Amino acid sequence: MIARLLAAAIALAATGLVLALLLWTGRREHWLWRPEHLFLLLLGLVALRVLLTPRPVPALRPRRVVAVGVVAYALLFSFVTVTRHFTFATHALDLGYYVQLTWNLARGAGPYVSLPEMHAWGDHLSPIMYLFVPTFWIAPGPVPLLIAQSAALALGAVAVFGLARARLGDERPAAAFVLLYLANPSLQGINVRDFHAAALAIPLLLAAVWAVEAGRPWLALAPAVLTLLCREDAALPVIGLGAWMAVGRRRWGPGVVAAVGALAVLAVDVRFIVPAYRGEPYAHLGRYAQLGGSLGAIVSTMLLHPLRTLGMLITADRLVYLAAMLAPLGLLPLLGGWDLVGVVPALAQNLLSADPVLYNHRAQYQAFVLPFLVLAAVAGYARLERRRPGHWPVAVLALAMVMSLTLDSRTVNDLAIARFWPTPAQRAAYRVLAQVPPAGAVSAQDQYVAHLSLRPRVFVFPVGIEKSDYVLVDLATYPWRRLPGVTLARDGTTVSIVSGAVEYRYVVAAEAGPHLLLRRL
């Protein structure tokens, strides 16, 4: 009787979810009917139904599961990320930044950006972006980067399958780990939040781990070198990789080469290369000012004052972050033993930061952490299977999947028509964007910038207003709450903007809906 009632409730919840995806407006007053809430209800009912009346796992071919999972993820998240861009849900940082950077590389102008105006290697050293130059010769713009990122993260599942199969000796749990990887909320969070060169480190680090597990540790150095090209701080997970190879797998030769080489690269990048391009000391160490003003001082503080350092780590928000990273893997990484050593450098980078975005479980900074947590989860599963054979390991994987899907629920909203089908106001924005001259310098509000990045100079309004020929604003957001010192006044076709006590005068060049394009007088 209970099973029948649950089946009926599941059917109703599924119907409600479909209706929400079709009819949800996205407005705040309809918060209760967000697709993610109905998805959570459906997930809870299905989990309860399975708990009360367990059913055997379908006999599927593991390699087919992997292939379908990789293709489905690549297609689904290419759709989600591209449609988010088309509906103005992407940002100047970081999609607009990387689009402009790659476009400048492709046209031979060097690694320069105007977000802010500087040599890009003075912010983050990401020469891996040269790999996208041929694509920009053919099809420049945000879409190739978004699709490439989704495909690269999907292909990381192949490495997960390889390393799990090598460690476990069984393709069935290896395929289960592939599904856990593809459903991981951190992976999805990284993917849907624009494009990041750091995200490319995930499949590369997983490939390196796979090579070690397959008995080819020297081969792991190839993806490790490519990882170093993602960003200067990508040296941290490579140091972790080397430490794991040496301590966890007793591959001392390649492990020491990887760790020492990455440490040297990090020191040179942070001390010399990035400051040389920037014209000032490495800026991102400011996130660790409480530990010291240089890389050496930060390391010294950690070694000489361990209790002080430990005190910085034990805060409520950091503990929530750790729980959000571990729960989707069923807490299995905690059983990983020495296989967990690789995560230490990257995890320390996040936890010791004063910037909370680094310990947000859906931020791009988890790209250096996630591969090692997956590895440690596989090791933890192997240890659990040896100690408690039977249904326990399978139950933990099932619980991990439920936790993953629970934390994934917000992604469901992106599949609602309200999120991916452009509104009349958004369509109007494209008519205005088309009126911006390709070579014109423009200062635009954040939602427009990624659409205007194929030009030498684009700024996030009101930055660069004094250098810009055009200004693009959304009148529906005026007065600007975050810019109380910036005011706009209109008199017919003439508009004045006051920023920093300086008045700039414009004529209306194009207008559609709330979108207003201004040309400087």
Side-chain angles (χ1 to χ4, degrees):
M1 181 63 178
I2 295 178
R4 290 180 179 178
L5 290 174
L6 282 174
I10 289 170
L12 287 173
T15 302
L17 176 58
V18 171
L19 291 174
L21 292 174
L22 294 173
L23 304 176
W24 181 54
T25 65
R27 294 199 294 267
R28 290 184 179 180
E29 58 266 30
H30 296 159
W31 179 87
L32 185 62
W33 305 109
R34 288 168 66 97
E36 68 176 284
H37 297 150
L38 292 166
F39 174 79
L40 287 171
L41 175 62
L42 177 62
L43 178 64
L45 291 171
V46 170
L48 184 60
R49 176 73 169 79
V50 171
L51 182 64
L52 292 177
T53 55
R55 295 188 176 184
V57 178
L60 302 174
R61 294 180 181 179
R63 298 191 183 197
R64 182 174 295 176
V65 171
V66 174
V68 171
V70 168
V71 173
Y73 180 95
L75 292 176
L76 176 64
F77 279 90
S78 291
F79 172 81
V80 168
T81 54
V82 170
T83 55
R84 280 174 60 87
H85 174 65
F86 288 158
T87 54
F88 296 90
T90 52
H91 307 275
L93 299 176
D94 289 298
L95 183 59
Y97 175 97
Y98 281 109
V99 169
Q100 188 184 48
L101 167 60
T102 313
W103 178 70
N104 275 327
L105 293 176
R107 69 190 187 96
Y112 290 93
V113 291
S114 59
L115 298 161
E117 212 167 6
M118 65 185 302
H119 194 294
W121 302 161
D123 182 27
H124 286 302
L125 188 58
S126 303
I128 199 167
M129 296 308 298
Y130 281 102
L131 295 179
F132 295 96
V133 165
T135 302
F136 268 57
W137 290 338
I138 301 169
V143 172
L145 291 184
L146 295 172
I147 293 176
Q149 178 174 259
S150 295
L153 295 180
L155 287 173
V158 177
V160 172
F161 182 70
L163 73 89
R165 181 182 58 186
R167 177 65 69 94
L168 303 175
D170 188 344
E171 290 190 346
R172 291 173 298 173
F177 273 103
V178 164
L179 297 180
L180 278 180
Y181 164 79
L182 294 173
N184 188 274
S186 296
L187 185 78
Q188 295 186 15
I190 292 168
N191 205 353
V192 300
R193 178 72 179 186
D194 292 1
F195 174 92
H196 304 93
L200 304 176
I202 295 176
L204 291 171
L205 290 168
L206 288 170
V209 172
W210 181 18
V212 176
E213 291 294 327
R216 298 182 177 181
W218 288 104
L219 184 61
L221 298 182
V225 169
L226 288 175
T227 301
L228 293 174
L229 301 181
C230 293
R231 281 182 21 160
E232 70 286 348
D233 55 346
L236 290 170
V238 177
I239 293 171
L241 174 69
W244 167 73
M245 291 168 67
V247 177
R249 304 306 288 164
R250 300 296 188 269
R251 304 290 187 174
W252 290 94
V256 170
V257 168
V260 173
L263 181 60
V265 168
L266 177 65
V268 171
D269 286 348
V270 171
R271 179 65 179 85
F272 299 106
I273 295 181
V274 176
Y277 283 117
R278 190 178 185 94
E280 59 184 56
Y282 184 67
H284 298 289
L285 290 180
R287 289 167 165 164
Y288 308 92
Q290 72 276 18
L291 294 172
S294 67
L295 183 61
I298 291 170
V299 173
S300 296
T301 300
M302 293 170 60
L303 295 177
L304 298 177
H305 304 281
L307 293 180
R308 173 185 164 190
T309 303
L310 184 63
M312 299 177 187
L313 305 181
I314 305 176
T315 62
D317 47 359
R318 287 173 172 83
L319 293 176
V320 169
Y321 158 69
L322 290 174
M325 294 298 293
L326 293 171
L329 294 168
L331 304 183
L332 287 170
L334 298 178
L335 301 177
W338 285 110
D339 287 290
L340 198 56
V341 71
V343 79
V344 172
L347 191 60
Q349 177 192 25
N350 293 350
L351 290 173
L352 290 172
S353 172
D355 186 350
V357 73
L358 269 75
Y359 45 89
N360 180 330
H361 75 282
R362 290 176 64 89
Q364 68 269 24
Y365 300 96
Q366 311 322 318
F368 301 154
V369 173
L370 182 60
F372 296 107
L373 290 183
V374 172
L375 167 65
V378 172
Y381 178 87
R383 184 169 282 107
L384 181 63
E385 196 174 37
R386 289 194 301 269
R387 294 180 179 178
R388 300 289 299 270
H391 74 280
W392 270 101
V394 176
V396 171
L397 291 181
L399 179 61
M401 180 57 73
V402 171
M403 293 303 301
S404 294
L405 294 175
T406 299
L407 293 175
D408 285 337
S409 58
R410 69 177 68 179
T411 303
V412 177
N413 296 328
D414 289 310
L415 300 175
I417 290 178
R419 284 286 176 88
F420 68 75
W421 195 264
T423 64
Q426 290 166 345
R427 290 190 178 91
Y430 284 104
R431 297 197 295 272
V432 175
L433 288 169
Q435 301 302 311
V436 184
V442 56
S443 179
Q445 285 182 258
D446 181 69
Q447 70 266 30
Y448 304 116
V449 172
H451 298 262
L452 295 167
S453 293
L454 297 178
R455 64 188 63 243
R457 302 177 92 185
V458 59
F459 308 95
V460 181
F461 178 82
V463 174
I465 189 172
E466 73 283 358
K467 307 174 186 178
S468 299
D469 307 308
Y470 292 87
V471 166
L472 179 57
V473 294
D474 182 351
L475 293 179
T477 65
Y478 183 80
W480 301 296
R481 296 180 181 178
R482 296 184 180 181
L483 303 170
V486 182
T487 60
L488 178 150
R490 181 175 183 176
D491 183 10
T493 60
T494 303
V495 174
S496 64
I497 295 178
V498 176
S499 177
V502 178
E503 183 179 12
Y504 303 90
R505 295 186 63 80
Y506 303 89
V507 63
V508 175
E511 182 176 9
H515 316 287
L516 188 64
L517 176 65
L518 307 174
R519 185 177 69 250
R520 191 168 181 178
L521 290 173

